[in-house]
Amino acid sequence: MKIAVDVMGGDYAPEAVIEGILLALSSLSNDDTILAVGPQDTIEQLLAKHGYAGKQIAIIPADQVIEMGEHPTKALSQKPNSSIGVGFHLLKEGKADVFASAGNTGAMMVGSLFSVKTIEGISRPAIAGFVPQEDGTYALMLDIGANADCKPEMLDQFAVLGSVYFEATTGKKAPRVGLMNIGEEEQKGNILSLATHALLKENKKINFIGNLEGKDFFKNKADVIVTDGFTGNIILKMGESLYKIMKDQGITNDFVENTNYEKYGGSPIIGINGNVIIAHGASSPLAIKNMIKLCRSVVESDVCGKIKAAIENQ
């Protein structure tokens, strides 16, 4: 397996990314290779600093960097030799099985759409987030920010994408799908949620259990939580804030630890012709290590192929 990693992506790059790659090596098989994408001199110096002289890290030169605040589309067109641009080229050409970055989220999304492109039949791909549950499991929520404004048909498709991903990566058959709403009753919600509920109720490809309220978010009521990207992003970031609040107050337990974004490593973009992982901009070495672990899971479970099969059989 070839895992391409953007060495220049993230608030603490390149140091934290290289350290995370080195932490991940012990969990990789001998056949796995990390393609470290970024300035060759910088990567060589950091690997030498840490005393690395192995063969599982291959340096892929890229002498440009897309900064966090840059316009995604302009940056990708004006910086073709950026670490993100080169990473997507590797993925498109089949020279990498997966590409991951903690860099500019917009550039990662635009790169996905214009490089590997959307799976035929998918209206809009979604970014999925992992939501820790009270019993130690996790749910998958989508969308968490790629699509702020959604149509009912998009949310209906998100339910299918999330179900296929959850089943492929966990082995759980017929995962429960819930629609985030302001009440459990079928007639509750705004125009979008009412229309979406009707579609989900009739969708034979999913195991729809009805509406979820905010109080159900951590209660393991559903395996797949469907919402628009605007709502999903707000909820997810609110959930992430729990970890710092609890830590600052000296409170710790298994659930609190599971709200730490570092544990999950990143979020997959679901619905594109390739495997792409977006990591948190503030990713630490531990988060990068877990990002690489997530990369392996996505490739090994053949999520992309299973989504294609599910959409083709509609």
Side-chain angles (χ1 to χ4, degrees):
M1 184 185 303
K2 289 183 170 60
I3 302 170
V5 176
D6 173 14
V7 171
M8 303 307 293
D11 298 340
Y12 307 114
E15 290 84 356
V17 180
I18 291 296
E19 289 177 25
I21 289 173
L22 293 173
L23 286 174
L25 290 180
S26 61
S27 63
L28 301 180
S29 73
N30 292 330
D31 294 329
D32 294 332
T33 301
I34 299 292
L35 306 178
V37 186
Q40 183 162 346
D41 290 346
T42 300
I43 297 173
E44 288 177 346
Q45 289 169 11
L46 287 171
L47 291 177
K49 174 183 174 182
H50 290 280
Y52 178 78
K55 296 182 179 180
Q56 278 192 284
I57 300 175
I59 300 174
I60 308 297
D63 57 18
Q64 295 175 310
V65 178
I66 295 178
E67 304 294 345
M68 289 294 199
E70 290 192 71
H71 188 281
T73 306
K74 288 182 179 179
L76 279 170
S77 62
Q78 295 171 359
K79 297 181 176 181
N81 201 39
S82 65
S83 50
I84 290 180
V86 172
F88 274 113
H89 177 74
L90 293 171
L91 189 64
K92 181 180 180 180
E93 296 298 316
K95 297 177 181 178
D97 298 298
V98 57
F99 175 47
S101 173
N104 187 307
T105 299
M108 290 295 288
M109 195 68 196
V110 171
S112 297
L113 292 171
F114 290 97
S115 181
V116 292
K117 304 186 185 305
T118 304
I119 292 173
E120 186 175 356
I122 299 291
S123 57
R124 288 297 299 272
I127 303 176
F130 300 98
V131 181
Q133 300 297 291
E134 196 175 43
D135 62 355
T137 61
Y138 70 83
L140 190 73
M141 180 167 67
L142 63 170
D143 183 31
I144 62 165
N147 306 283
D149 296 301
C150 292
K151 296 179 180 179
E153 293 78 13
M154 292 167 63
L155 295 186
D156 185 46
Q157 203 163 66
F158 291 169
V160 176
L161 295 178
S163 295
V164 173
Y165 183 97
F166 195 90
E167 182 172 332
T169 54
T170 68
K172 182 175 181 177
K173 301 294 184 182
R176 301 161 297 166
V177 177
L179 174 65
M180 185 54 66
N181 207 333
I182 60 171
E184 294 180 356
E185 298 85 357
E186 184 173 341
Q187 67 272 20
K188 286 287 185 71
N190 56 14
I191 294 173
L192 174 62
S193 57
L194 289 169
T196 301
H197 190 287
L199 291 177
L200 296 178
K201 189 176 178 180
E202 297 300 320
N203 192 331
K204 304 302 182 184
K205 285 184 170 291
I206 62 171
N207 176 21
F208 182 51
I209 61 165
N211 290 329
L212 297 177
E213 295 185 76
K215 64 182 176 63
D216 302 320
F217 194 58
F218 299 115
K219 293 291 187 178
N220 194 21
K221 294 285 187 71
D223 303 303
V224 178
I225 301 172
V226 176
T227 187
D228 60 274
F230 183 86
T231 305
N233 189 272
I234 291 173
I235 296 174
L236 191 73
K237 288 180 178 176
M238 181 199 68
E240 287 180 352
S241 73
L242 292 175
Y243 179 73
K244 189 175 188 307
I245 292 171
M246 295 296 103
K247 284 293 188 180
D248 289 345
Q249 295 183 2
I251 301 172
T252 183
N253 55 43
D254 289 342
F255 176 73
V256 171
E257 290 302 314
N258 286 339
T259 62
N260 183 2
Y261 72 87
E262 293 178 313
K263 179 172 182 178
Y264 303 98
S267 299
I269 300 179
I270 305 178
I272 57 174
N273 283 297
N275 301 307
V276 177
I277 304 296
I278 299 175
H280 202 294
S283 287
S284 64
L286 176 60
I288 297 297
K289 173 188 175 183
N290 287 328
M291 176 187 78
I292 293 171
K293 180 180 178 182
L294 178 60
C295 286
R296 294 193 83 253
S297 171
V298 168
V299 175
E300 288 179 339
S301 57
D302 187 27
V303 171
C304 187
K306 290 173 181 175
I307 288 174
K308 287 181 180 179
I311 297 302
E312 288 173 356
N313 293 329
Q314 283 194 40

